[in-house]
Amino acid sequence: MILRGKCLLDTLDKRCDRYISAIVLGLNDALVEMTGALAGFTMALHDNRLIALAGLTTGVAATLSMAASEFLAKKADPAARHPYTAAIYTGATYLITVALLLLPFFMLDDPFTSLGCCLLTAASIITMFTWAVARLRQKPFLGNCLQMLSISFSVSAIAFGISWAARYFWDLKGM
């Protein structure tokens, strides 16, 4: 029984390792793009229902775009195999990440509390995934984790700032 379990884990490790770049692409892009978009939507809209709708629309469109891009990239690479599978891994990872990031906007009332929970979720996902990849690839954890956290949160801060400036510039404070 233990031997079968080990064989199953070895098979999953090999399959996961084969498509880790597709998973990383979907996850990292979703985290960076969606935290930035949701931060911007939060500042611009101040309404969780509208933020959730805008985030869902953006997330689904971006999921399809990322999956299509991964498929085309793998199809164009003569050394790459299984472009459909890579596209599915990228798209599924992206969509799951979008759902997790949007969850606070569907569950809570205050948009800024929702954004805080969304960013905490993003930080948790980044930490857990970076740890898993570090273990799988036997790479350093802390530097990679801090790099991804800084990229995601910098994009979010920039999008939030741009939305704040646009809101102020167009005098939309009463919205």
Side-chain angles (χ1 to χ4, degrees):
M1 183 71 170
I2 293 172
L3 185 57
R4 280 191 220 159
K6 177 147 178 41
C7 288
L8 177 62
L9 287 175
D10 288 344
T11 302
L12 288 174
D13 278 350
K14 287 176 188 169
R15 185 172 179 90
C16 188
D17 195 37
R18 186 181 317 144
Y19 295 106
I20 197 76
S21 65
I23 294 168
V24 168
L25 177 65
L27 184 72
N28 287 345
D29 197 72
L31 287 165
V32 172
E33 184 175 347
M34 288 307 297
T35 56
L38 291 170
F41 295 155
T42 298
M43 187 60 221
L45 302 173
H46 289 216
D47 180 318
N48 268 15
R49 289 180 24 197
L50 291 176
I51 296 164
L53 175 62
L56 183 62
T57 304
T58 301
V60 169
T63 295
L64 297 172
S65 172
M66 286 303 299
S69 295
E70 179 68 358
F71 172 79
L72 293 172
K74 294 295 184 200
K75 192 85 170 154
D77 181 1
R81 296 182 1 202
H82 309 293
Y84 289 109
T85 306
I88 289 169
Y89 272 94
T90 299
T93 305
Y94 199 106
L95 192 59
I96 290 166
T97 305
V98 166
L100 292 171
L101 296 176
L102 280 174
L103 201 56
F105 292 95
F106 285 107
M107 296 179 63
L108 304 172
D109 292 326
D110 180 62
F112 294 99
T113 302
S114 298
L115 179 61
C117 291
C118 168
L119 295 175
L120 184 60
T121 300
S124 299
I125 292 169
I126 290 167
T127 302
M128 288 186 293
F129 189 75
T130 307
W131 178 82
V133 170
R135 297 250 344 209
L136 182 67
R137 295 265 169 100
Q138 298 177 351
K139 300 275 183 173
F141 162 71
L142 188 59
N144 290 332
C145 185
L146 292 175
Q147 180 183 42
M148 188 59 204
L149 285 168
S150 66
I151 290 169
S152 287
F153 291 123
S154 295
V155 168
S156 296
I158 291 167
F160 192 86
I162 290 169
S163 295
W164 176 82
R167 190 175 169 89
Y168 179 80
F169 178 75
W170 285 312
D171 196 27
L172 301 173
K173 292 176 221 104
M175 242 182 99

